[in-house]
PDB file of all heavy atoms in Angstrom:
ATOM      1  N   ASP A1484      94.591 101.732  88.010  1.00 93.00           N
ATOM      2  CA  ASP A1484      93.820 101.922  89.239  1.00 93.00           C
ATOM      3  C   ASP A1484      93.481 103.377  89.507  1.00 93.00           C
ATOM      4  O   ASP A1484      92.898 103.701  90.546  1.00 93.00           O
ATOM      5  CB  ASP A1484      94.562 101.335  90.435  1.00 93.00           C
ATOM      6  CG  ASP A1484      95.940 101.951  90.625  1.00 93.00           C
ATOM      7  OD1 ASP A1484      96.306 102.853  89.840  1.00 93.00           O
ATOM      8  OD2 ASP A1484      96.672 101.509  91.533  1.00 93.00           O
ATOM      9  N   GLY A1485      93.857 104.286  88.582  1.00 93.00           N
ATOM     10  CA  GLY A1485      93.471 105.686  88.701  1.00 93.00           C
ATOM     11  C   GLY A1485      94.522 106.597  89.291  1.00 93.00           C
ATOM     12  O   GLY A1485      94.277 107.796  89.437  1.00 93.00           O
ATOM     13  N   ILE A1486      95.698 106.104  89.614  1.00 94.00           N
ATOM     14  CA  ILE A1486      96.766 106.936  90.180  1.00 94.00           C
ATOM     15  C   ILE A1486      97.509 107.638  89.049  1.00 94.00           C
ATOM     16  O   ILE A1486      97.977 106.994  88.110  1.00 94.00           O
ATOM     17  CB  ILE A1486      97.743 106.082  91.003  1.00 94.00           C
ATOM     18  CG1 ILE A1486      97.016 105.462  92.200  1.00 94.00           C
ATOM     19  CG2 ILE A1486      98.930 106.920  91.469  1.00 94.00           C
ATOM     20  CD1 ILE A1486      97.886 104.558  93.044  1.00 94.00           C
ATOM     21  N   VAL A1487      97.616 108.957  89.123  1.00 96.00           N
ATOM     22  CA  VAL A1487      98.332 109.726  88.103  1.00 96.00           C
ATOM     23  C   VAL A1487      99.806 109.806  88.499  1.00 96.00           C
ATOM     24  O   VAL A1487     100.154 109.846  89.688  1.00 96.00           O
ATOM     25  CB  VAL A1487      97.733 111.139  87.941  1.00 96.00           C
ATOM     26  CG1 VAL A1487      96.310 111.056  87.405  1.00 96.00           C
ATOM     27  CG2 VAL A1487      97.757 111.895  89.255  1.00 96.00           C
ATOM     28  N   TYR A1488     100.680 109.852  87.494  1.00 96.00           N
ATOM     29  CA  TYR A1488     102.115 109.863  87.773  1.00 96.00           C
ATOM     30  C   TYR A1488     102.865 110.427  86.576  1.00 96.00           C
ATOM     31  O   TYR A1488     102.323 110.546  85.470  1.00 96.00           O
ATOM     32  CB  TYR A1488     102.619 108.458  88.090  1.00 96.00           C
ATOM     33  CG  TYR A1488     102.626 107.514  86.909  1.00 96.00           C
ATOM     34  CD1 TYR A1488     103.798 107.252  86.199  1.00 96.00           C
ATOM     35  CD2 TYR A1488     101.457 106.890  86.485  1.00 96.00           C
ATOM     36  CE1 TYR A1488     103.814 106.397  85.102  1.00 96.00           C
ATOM     37  CE2 TYR A1488     101.455 106.029  85.396  1.00 96.00           C
ATOM     38  CZ  TYR A1488     102.631 105.789  84.713  1.00 96.00           C
ATOM     39  OH  TYR A1488     102.628 104.956  83.622  1.00 96.00           O
ATOM     40  N   LEU A1489     104.121 110.762  86.821  1.00 96.00           N
ATOM     41  CA  LEU A1489     105.037 111.204  85.776  1.00 96.00           C
ATOM     42  C   LEU A1489     106.091 110.121  85.611  1.00 96.00           C
ATOM     43  O   LEU A1489     106.717 109.712  86.596  1.00 96.00           O
ATOM     44  CB  LEU A1489     105.698 112.530  86.170  1.00 96.00           C
ATOM     45  CG  LEU A1489     106.512 113.245  85.093  1.00 96.00           C
ATOM     46  CD1 LEU A1489     105.589 113.782  83.996  1.00 96.00           C
ATOM     47  CD2 LEU A1489     107.314 114.404  85.710  1.00 96.00           C
ATOM     48  N   PRO A1490     106.319 109.615  84.407  1.00 96.00           N
ATOM     49  CA  PRO A1490     107.339 108.563  84.218  1.00 96.00           C
ATOM     50  C   PRO A1490     108.696 109.028  84.724  1.00 96.00           C
ATOM     51  O   PRO A1490     109.077 110.196  84.584  1.00 96.00           O
ATOM     52  CB  PRO A1490     107.340 108.340  82.700  1.00 96.00           C
ATOM     53  CG  PRO A1490     105.972 108.751  82.263  1.00 96.00           C
ATOM     54  CD  PRO A1490     105.597 109.900  83.155  1.00 96.00           C
ATOM     55  N   GLU A1491     109.443 108.084  85.299  1.00 95.00           N
ATOM     56  CA  GLU A1491     110.720 108.446  85.930  1.00 95.00           C
ATOM     57  C   GLU A1491     111.714 109.042  84.945  1.00 95.00           C
ATOM     58  O   GLU A1491     112.535 109.872  85.318  1.00 95.00           O
ATOM     59  CB  GLU A1491     111.313 107.218  86.630  1.00 95.00           C
ATOM     60  CG  GLU A1491     111.487 105.979  85.772  1.00 95.00           C
ATOM     61  CD  GLU A1491     112.769 105.977  84.976  1.00 95.00           C
ATOM     62  OE1 GLU A1491     113.661 106.787  85.300  1.00 95.00           O
ATOM     63  OE2 GLU A1491     112.860 105.196  84.023  1.00 95.00           O
ATOM     64  N   ILE A1492     111.635 108.651  83.675  1.00 96.00           N
ATOM     65  CA  ILE A1492     112.581 109.195  82.701  1.00 96.00           C
ATOM     66  C   ILE A1492     112.386 110.696  82.531  1.00 96.00           C
ATOM     67  O   ILE A1492     113.346 111.434  82.249  1.00 96.00           O
ATOM     68  CB  ILE A1492     112.459 108.458  81.348  1.00 96.00           C
ATOM     69  CG1 ILE A1492     113.583 108.871  80.404  1.00 96.00           C
ATOM     70  CG2 ILE A1492     111.095 108.721  80.721  1.00 96.00           C
ATOM     71  CD1 ILE A1492     114.956 108.544  80.908  1.00 96.00           C
ATOM     72  N   LYS A1493     111.174 111.181  82.750  1.00 97.00           N
ATOM     73  CA  LYS A1493     110.917 112.620  82.604  1.00 97.00           C
ATOM     74  C   LYS A1493     111.435 113.396  83.801  1.00 97.00           C
ATOM     75  O   LYS A1493     111.794 114.570  83.675  1.00 97.00           O
ATOM     76  CB  LYS A1493     109.426 112.844  82.371  1.00 97.00           C
ATOM     77  CG  LYS A1493     108.984 112.216  81.046  1.00 97.00           C
ATOM     78  CD  LYS A1493     107.542 112.455  80.706  1.00 97.00           C
ATOM     79  CE  LYS A1493     107.209 111.801  79.353  1.00 97.00           C
ATOM     80  NZ  LYS A1493     105.797 111.994  78.952  1.00 97.00           N
ATOM     81  N   TYR A1494     111.489 112.766  84.968  1.00 97.00           N
ATOM     82  CA  TYR A1494     112.170 113.396  86.104  1.00 97.00           C
ATOM     83  C   TYR A1494     113.651 113.565  85.779  1.00 97.00           C
ATOM     84  O   TYR A1494     114.248 114.616  86.060  1.00 97.00           O
ATOM     85  CB  TYR A1494     112.022 112.530  87.357  1.00 97.00           C
ATOM     86  CG  TYR A1494     110.683 112.630  88.044  1.00 97.00           C
ATOM     87  CD1 TYR A1494     109.667 111.739  87.746  1.00 97.00           C
ATOM     88  CD2 TYR A1494     110.445 113.606  89.011  1.00 97.00           C
ATOM     89  CE1 TYR A1494     108.435 111.808  88.388  1.00 97.00           C
ATOM     90  CE2 TYR A1494     109.224 113.686  89.655  1.00 97.00           C
ATOM     91  CZ  TYR A1494     108.220 112.787  89.335  1.00 97.00           C
ATOM     92  OH  TYR A1494     107.008 112.871  89.972  1.00 97.00           O
ATOM     93  N   ARG A1495     114.247 112.547  85.186  1.00 97.00           N
ATOM     94  CA  ARG A1495     115.670 112.625  84.850  1.00 97.00           C
ATOM     95  C   ARG A1495     115.926 113.720  83.813  1.00 97.00           C
ATOM     96  O   ARG A1495     116.959 114.406  83.870  1.00 97.00           O
ATOM     97  CB  ARG A1495     116.149 111.267  84.326  1.00 97.00           C
ATOM     98  CG  ARG A1495     116.339 110.222  85.421  1.00 97.00           C
ATOM     99  CD  ARG A1495     116.860 108.909  84.857  1.00 97.00           C
ATOM    100  NE  ARG A1495     117.451 108.057  85.905  1.00 97.00           N
ATOM    101  CZ  ARG A1495     116.778 107.220  86.654  1.00 97.00           C
ATOM    102  NH1 ARG A1495     115.472 107.074  86.455  1.00 97.00           N
ATOM    103  NH2 ARG A1495     117.378 106.501  87.584  1.00 97.00           N
ATOM    104  N   ARG A1496     115.024 113.866  82.861  1.00 97.00           N
ATOM    105  CA  ARG A1496     115.199 114.929  81.857  1.00 97.00           C
ATOM    106  C   ARG A1496     115.147 116.303  82.497  1.00 97.00           C
ATOM    107  O   ARG A1496     115.918 117.204  82.123  1.00 97.00           O
ATOM    108  CB  ARG A1496     114.117 114.799  80.779  1.00 97.00           C
ATOM    109  CG  ARG A1496     114.279 113.575  79.893  1.00 97.00           C
ATOM    110  CD  ARG A1496     113.097 113.420  78.962  1.00 97.00           C
ATOM    111  NE  ARG A1496     113.211 112.216  78.135  1.00 97.00           N
ATOM    112  CZ  ARG A1496     112.257 111.754  77.335  1.00 97.00           C
ATOM    113  NH1 ARG A1496     111.089 112.407  77.260  1.00 97.00           N
ATOM    114  NH2 ARG A1496     112.451 110.654  76.635  1.00 97.00           N
ATOM    115  N   ILE A1497     114.267 116.477  83.476  1.00 97.00           N
ATOM    116  CA  ILE A1497     114.174 117.774  84.166  1.00 97.00           C
ATOM    117  C   ILE A1497     115.454 118.038  84.953  1.00 97.00           C
ATOM    118  O   ILE A1497     115.999 119.168  84.925  1.00 97.00           O
ATOM    119  CB  ILE A1497     112.944 117.795  85.090  1.00 97.00           C
ATOM    120  CG1 ILE A1497     111.653 117.756  84.255  1.00 97.00           C
ATOM    121  CG2 ILE A1497     112.955 119.034  85.973  1.00 97.00           C
ATOM    122  CD1 ILE A1497     110.381 117.594  85.077  1.00 97.00           C
ATOM    123  N   LEU A1498     115.972 117.031  85.646  1.00 97.00           N
ATOM    124  CA  LEU A1498     117.218 117.213  86.395  1.00 97.00           C
ATOM    125  C   LEU A1498     118.387 117.503  85.453  1.00 97.00           C
ATOM    126  O   LEU A1498     119.276 118.306  85.790  1.00 97.00           O
ATOM    127  CB  LEU A1498     117.499 115.967  87.243  1.00 97.00           C
ATOM    128  CG  LEU A1498     116.529 115.688  88.391  1.00 97.00           C
ATOM    129  CD1 LEU A1498     116.848 114.355  89.055  1.00 97.00           C
ATOM    130  CD2 LEU A1498     116.558 116.819  89.414  1.00 97.00           C
TER     131      LEU A1498
END
Side-chain angles (χ1 to χ4, degrees):
D1484 58 1
I1486 297 178
V1487 295
Y1488 70 100
L1489 190 69
E1491 54 84 15
I1492 189 61
K1493 296 183 179 180
Y1494 282 93
R1495 284 182 162 86
R1496 291 173 182 172
I1497 293 173
L1498 293 174

